[in-house]
Amino acid sequence: MLGKRRKKTDLPAVCAVIVAAGSSRRMGGENKLLLEIDGVPVLARTLSAFQKCAAIRDIVLVCREQDIMPYTELAKAFSIDKLCTVTRGGESVLAGITAAPENAVLVAVHDGARPLVSEAVITEAVTTAAEYGAAAPVVPVKDSIKRIKDGNIAADVARDTLAAVQTPQVFRKDLLRRALTSAAERGYSFTDDCAAVESLGTIVKATHGSYQNIKITTPEDILVAEALLTREDK
């Protein structure tokens, strides 16, 4: 499914677009991005991962209007000096692309609720997108998968043909802008940015993800993230 890991080479300017405009409904109303994992807010961990990654030049944060000030203060508190803009969402990713520096050739779109993403995962996706125009990290599916019809198991689905996609999903900025604009004009809604780009006929290359790159969605995920960090520290 995946090719060999590529070494980092000279890269074009890359802007990370961190999407943090969700409503945290499954957290019982608490803002999950401000919840702490081992004493550090989720969003601070996410921003720090891109701050430390040498492949990333700039960061744009997209959020709800009421979160602009607290998120800006949080970024200052954790010395995220790559952060160039905090902008109000709407069509979140498109808003982030619009706010990205003009010289950005690639955009790395990442979910603010994935705080444990590693530099290796980010860098491989960026390097591959620099060569092919579009890339996203994936991990093989562990469970047996069934196709369901009318409430019944209808067939097995070959597990070796399936993968769970993660972020950052990295694209040429002009390509992703065109894909999202086209989707909006046609009234299409896609599950992720890869699907929007694929709708233009562009192939998205699969890169190595990590089972540690989890998305914080429910309170249990905080406990899982802390356990993963504890294991990493040993």
Side-chain angles (χ1 to χ4, degrees), residues 28-65:
E30 280 194 271
N31 185 339
K32 65 184 179 183
L33 298 183
L34 296 180
L35 295 178
E36 293 187 351
I37 298 174
D38 196 22
V40 178
V42 169
L43 183 58
R45 287 190 178 276
T46 301
L47 292 171
S48 294
F50 287 84
Q51 173 72 26
K52 295 171 184 175
C53 181
I56 301 299
R57 182 176 298 185
D58 300 288
I59 300 172
V60 167
L61 179 62
V62 185
C63 64
R64 300 176 300 176
E65 188 164 5

Side-chain angles (χ1 to χ4, degrees), residues 95-176:
I97 295 171
T98 301
E102 287 188 12
N103 68 344
V105 177
L106 298 174
V107 288
V109 182
H110 188 69
D111 193 324
R114 289 187 184 270
L116 303 187
V117 63
S118 69
E119 183 168 4
V121 167
I122 298 169
T123 301
E124 185 180 354
V126 166
T127 304
T128 303
E131 183 174 355
Y132 295 102
V138 302
V139 290
V141 173
K142 294 180 178 181
D143 296 326
S144 295
I145 305 296
K146 306 291 185 182
R147 185 166 58 83
I148 304 298
K149 183 176 181 181
D150 299 327
N152 301 315
I153 294 177
D156 291 331
V157 180
R159 199 165 40 187
D160 59 359
T161 66
L162 300 174
V165 69
Q166 300 181 334
T167 63
Q169 298 178 4
V170 188
F171 311 93
R172 290 197 320 270
K173 183 173 70 173
D174 59 335
L175 171 64
L176 185 55

Side-chain angles (χ1 to χ4, degrees), residues 139-226:
V139 290
V141 173
K142 294 180 178 181
D143 296 326
S144 295
I145 305 296
K146 306 291 185 182
R147 185 166 58 83
I148 304 298
K149 183 176 181 181
D150 299 327
N152 301 315
I153 294 177
D156 291 331
V157 180
R159 199 165 40 187
D160 59 359
T161 66
L162 300 174
V165 69
Q166 300 181 334
T167 63
Q169 298 178 4
V170 188
F171 311 93
R172 290 197 320 270
K173 183 173 70 173
D174 59 335
L175 171 64
L176 185 55
R177 187 199 303 273
R178 182 158 49 91
L180 295 177
T181 301
S182 174
E185 290 173 348
R186 291 180 290 167
Y188 289 176
S189 178
F190 295 103
T191 55
D192 69 354
D193 299 309
C194 286
V197 168
E198 289 162 3
S199 74
L200 298 181
T202 300
I203 293 173
V204 179
K205 289 289 186 178
T207 59
H208 294 86
S210 168
Y211 290 113
Q212 185 164 313
N213 185 17
I214 65 170
K215 182 177 179 179
I216 304 299
T217 304
T218 65
E220 293 77 14
D221 295 327
I222 296 288
L223 300 177
V224 172
E226 290 181 334

